[in-house]
Every structure is written in C-alpha cells, then in structure tokens.
C-alpha cells in the first residue's frame, strides 16, 4: 500500500506497549491453542463484530459510553465457546503482576480487563480437547516483544481457511508521520483466502509469484469444508484478531479503527462476515505517541482515516501471511503443499 512500510519485525509487536504470547497443543489428539495480545499497562480498547456467529467475552465493556476505558489483554482462542475459559488464566497472570483496573486501595486489588473471542476448531482434535485456563496462563507468561510466529501456532493451530489450512498471521505498517499500526489475526474462515483461479491470495502478499498453471488447475477446491479426519458436517468458522496503534486514541476513535479493520477481512477473505462466521476485530491504542488533533479540527478526520486505512491493510496482509505460513494437519492441506511453485 502506497505510503506505508513494514515495521522492524513485521508484526503487531512493532507497536510500542504490545506483547504477544502463544500456547498450543498439536498431536494426534489435539490441534488447538490460545494467542494473547497483552498490554499490561493498559490500552484504550474497542471492538467490532461483523460475523453472524460470534463467541466473545467482555465485549460490552468496550462500548465507548461504558465505564472502563482500557483493556489489559485480548485473548484469541480455539475451542469454540469452551475456549473462553482461557481468558481466566490470562486474568490470573495479569493479577499476579498487579496489572488491571484498580478497584481497591492496595496495589494488588485489581481486576484485569481481558476481552476474548473464539474460533471453531473442534473437528481438528478429539472431542473434549480444547483450551482451558492453563493454556491462557501459559500464553500470558510467554508474552513478549519479539514473538512473530505465524501459521500453526496459538489460536491458529487448528484453524482452517476455506479449503486450506489456516493459522496465525501478523503484520505491521509505519505511516509517514511515524505512527505504527499492527495486526494479529487468527484465520479460520468459511471463505477462501486464495483465489482458486490464480493460486494467489486475494490481497497481495509480498514474496509470491503466480504458481504453475498445473498446480492451479489441480488445486481447485473440491467443495465442502474438511476437518482433520475428512469432511465436516457443520461449517462453523471465524476470523478473529487484534489491531493496535501506538497513538493515544479515545474509545470512539478506537471503535472506528476496529470498524475499518473489517475492510481488511473483506479484502482478504471471500466471502466474509457470513452467518457461520464469528468475525470479530479488537482495536487497541497504547498511547505511546501523542493523540490525534481535537475532534472537529480540520486535520482530525484525515489523521484518523490514515490509521483506519493502515488497519485494513495490515489485517489483510496478516490474513494472507497466516495461510502462507500454515502447515498441513491430517487431511487439511496447506498452501505450501498445493502451490509449491508460488514461493519466490
């Protein structure tokens, strides 16, 4: 995208104040995990839900008119609604470190604000094998400024994107004024991320070339969503993620960023936002850089629009990167297997 360049690490951890941690289990009986985007000192937060089948926790807290102004972590998890339990472990870890919304006189008297969203990966493992609070705790313990792993990691471990293996993807962009915007996406979409007529992602991802025509012809989806052990009878999906910026934003401004981030899903996944998707994007503003001009000033709307545009871009890139990095699990093939000649 013109005027944008990737950050130093090419991931959401390029946004000052953001930590990332993952925990997962992948073996013959398990394929699921948890990803945590932690902002221990707190960050202004918002959310926008566009899918028809979401599974979420603490999203009402993020409404612009409600009391709490900041979140301390966002949890992305597998396990469908069962996976929401992972947020308990993240809360426990944050509370041990004294991070949270102050509710008492003593430093330890805090309630961490930890919204969460889930994706449906139950067919990828044995029934009953889904993330719990211990997954969340371990992911929170591991969170740092350097984790840019992609593919079969964290919440993306059991993810499937259309007819290909999905996963975790991350991206960042630096605006002309120095603002950094990043995204971390767990891609488990009903729609395809790759155009079956070309073998390339719908939204351009650097480092690819058009694959061999024979691979394209042989890679056309056969129809029906596949799980680890064959076709699945219920197409429950979801693309969930977090965008973050290092500016100081209000909750209302953060909400506009979350809204715009869904444009990135629509650009990278076709179709998107269906009734069997729970597409949800959280937005964080860490406040490491100054805020925007006052609302109503001539430069306010263009400054906010620039961040929103960058948010859509990094979300779309992160979605493509998630699929490119994923490896096959069981009968779910991957981009690297279907289109081996596409790598430059």
């Amino acid at each position: 995208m013109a005027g944008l360049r990737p950050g130093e690490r090419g991931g959401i951890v390029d946004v000052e104040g953001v930590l990332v941690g993952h925990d997962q289990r992948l073996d013959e009986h398990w394929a699921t995990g948890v990803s945590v985007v932690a902002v221990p000192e707190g960050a202004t937060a918002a959310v926008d839900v566009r899918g028809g089948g979401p599974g979420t926790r603490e999203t009402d807290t993020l409404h612009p008119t409600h009391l709490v102004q900041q979140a301390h972590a966002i949890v992305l998890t597998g396990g469908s609604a069962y996976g929401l339990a992972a947020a308990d472990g993240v809360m426990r870890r944050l509370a041990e470190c004294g991070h949270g919304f102050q509710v008492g006189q003593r430093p330890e008297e805090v309630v961490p604000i930890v919204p969460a969203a889930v994706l449906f990966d139950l067919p990828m493992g044995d029934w009953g094998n889904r993330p719990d609070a211990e997954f969340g705790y371990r992911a929170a313990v591991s969170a740092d400024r350097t984790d840019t792993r992609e593919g079969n990691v964290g919440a993306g471990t059991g993810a499937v994107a259309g007819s290909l293996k999905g996963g975790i993807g991350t991206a960042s962009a630096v605006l002309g004024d120095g603002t950094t915007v990043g995204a971390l996406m767990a891609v488990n979409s009903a729609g395809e991320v790759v155009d079956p007529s070309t073998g390339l992602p719908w939204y351009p991802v650097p480092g690819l070339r058009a694959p061999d025509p024979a691979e394209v012809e042989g890679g056309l989806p056969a129809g029906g969503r596949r799980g680890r052990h064959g076709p699945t009878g219920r197409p429950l999906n979801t693309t969930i993620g977090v965008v973050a910026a290092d500016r100081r934003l209000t909750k209302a401004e953060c909400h506009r960023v979350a809204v715009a981030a869904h444009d990135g899903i629509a650009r990278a996944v076709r179709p998107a936002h269906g009734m069997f998707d729970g597409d949800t994007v959280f937005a964080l503003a860490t406040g490491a850089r100054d805020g925007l001009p006052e609302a109503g000033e001539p430069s306010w709307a263009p400054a906010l629009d620039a961040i929103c545009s960058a948010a859509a871009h990094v979300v779309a890139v992160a979605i493509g990167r998630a699929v490119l990095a994923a490896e096959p699990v069981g009968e779910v093939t991957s981009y690297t297997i279907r289109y081996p000649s596409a790598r430059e």
Side-chain angles (χ1 to χ4, degrees), residues 174-187:
V174 181
L175 282 66
D177 66 0
T179 300
T180 300
V181 180
L184 182 84
M185 303 299 296
V187 185

Side-chain angles (χ1 to χ4, degrees), residues 116-200:
V118 304
L119 56 79
F120 182 81
D121 59 2
L122 298 179
M124 296 295 285
D126 294 351
W127 184 259
N129 289 347
R130 53 244 183 181
D132 58 15
E134 294 309 309
F135 275 76
Y137 185 86
R138 291 190 296 267
V141 168
S142 73
D144 62 28
R145 287 292 314 279
T146 64
D147 197 331
T148 57
R149 288 177 292 165
E150 296 178 306
N152 296 4
V153 64
T157 302
V160 181
S163 60
L164 294 170
K165 181 68 179 67
I168 284 286
T170 190
S172 66
V174 181
L175 282 66
D177 66 0
T179 300
T180 300
V181 180
L184 182 84
M185 303 299 296
V187 185
N188 189 62
S189 55
E192 297 287 346
V193 174
V194 174
D195 180 352
S197 69
T198 66
L200 293 172

Side-chain angles (χ1 to χ4, degrees), residues 46-296:
V47 66
D48 190 57
V49 180
R50 294 292 175 94
T56 57
R57 165 176 167 155
E58 292 272 40
T59 50
D60 280 352
T61 303
L62 305 184
H63 191 278
T65 66
H66 290 178
L67 171 67
V68 173
Q69 297 297 302
Q70 295 188 321
H72 302 91
I74 304 293
V75 174
L76 310 176
T77 177
S80 190
Y82 296 105
L84 290 172
D88 293 339
V90 179
M91 287 188 67
R92 175 157 56 94
R93 174 59 178 173
L94 288 167
E96 287 175 355
C97 300
H99 299 300
F101 182 71
Q102 195 73 40
V103 295
Q105 300 300 314
R106 294 182 296 179
E108 68 270 20
E109 293 176 341
V110 296
V111 176
I113 306 301
V114 183
V118 304
L119 56 79
F120 182 81
D121 59 2
L122 298 179
M124 296 295 285
D126 294 351
W127 184 259
N129 289 347
R130 53 244 183 181
D132 58 15
E134 294 309 309
F135 275 76
Y137 185 86
R138 291 190 296 267
V141 168
S142 73
D144 62 28
R145 287 292 314 279
T146 64
D147 197 331
T148 57
R149 288 177 292 165
E150 296 178 306
N152 296 4
V153 64
T157 302
V160 181
S163 60
L164 294 170
K165 181 68 179 67
I168 284 286
T170 190
S172 66
V174 181
L175 282 66
D177 66 0
T179 300
T180 300
V181 180
L184 182 84
M185 303 299 296
V187 185
N188 189 62
S189 55
E192 297 287 346
V193 174
V194 174
D195 180 352
S197 69
T198 66
L200 293 172
W202 297 110
Y203 195 81
V205 177
L208 289 182
R209 61 187 176 194
D212 186 281
E215 294 173 6
V216 175
E217 183 176 355
L220 292 175
R225 186 180 179 89
R226 301 190 71 79
R228 183 172 195 158
H229 306 295
T232 61
R234 186 175 296 275
L236 298 177
N237 311 284
T238 293
T239 298
I240 53 179
V242 183
V243 293
D246 59 2
R247 297 293 290 270
R248 186 173 64 251
L249 304 178
T250 66
K251 285 180 78 175
E253 290 166 344
C254 258
H255 181 250
R256 293 305 307 172
V257 175
V259 168
H262 277 280
D263 290 349
I265 296 180
R267 294 172 189 172
V269 180
R270 302 185 187 181
H273 304 140
M275 290 303 294
F276 290 105
D277 286 301
D279 298 342
T280 300
V281 180
F282 298 92
L284 298 171
T286 65
R289 294 170 56 86
D290 290 341
L292 302 183
E294 289 294 323

Side-chain angles (χ1 to χ4, degrees), residues 1-7 171-182 203 206 267 303 305-317:
M1 183 174 175
L4 298 178
R5 58 178 175 84
S172 66
V174 181
L175 282 66
D177 66 0
T179 300
T180 300
V181 180
Y203 195 81
R267 294 172 189 172
D305 280 348
I307 294 173
C308 290
S309 179
H313 169 70
V314 295
V315 164
V317 172

